[in-house]
Amino acid sequence: MSTPYERLMAEAIPTRPAPPPTPNQPPPREPGPWTTEEQDAHWAELCTEVGTPHAKRPHLRLITDTDTNAA
């Protein structure tokens, strides 16, 4: 005769079923760089939402370790 512990250990452990197979889909694309027109349109939408519809879009510049004008 087996003990309750032995019967418990002999039970099958339930496992999650395998996920269903996915159809062949191409991998997601990385978004490409925005065009200047897309950037301007997006900036205009943002400015309108925050209540400053005619704010100028900031222009970013690359700062290198040899740039003496860096803030």
Side-chain angles (χ1 to χ4, degrees), residues 5-65:
Y5 178 77
E6 290 170 335
R7 287 193 303 272
L8 178 65
M9 292 295 109
E11 289 180 8
I13 299 172
T15 58
R16 184 189 324 188
T22 57
N24 290 338
Q25 295 178 354
R29 280 184 345 138
E30 289 294 321
W34 288 21
T35 64
T36 303
E37 292 80 19
E38 291 172 325
Q39 292 174 8
D40 291 339
H42 181 67
W43 179 256
E45 288 176 31
L46 291 174
C47 290
T48 301
E49 286 296 317
V50 299
T52 57
H54 301 294
K56 293 180 86 174
R57 185 163 62 94
H59 294 280
L60 303 176
R61 64 184 177 91
L62 177 63
I63 298 176
T64 62
D65 45 343

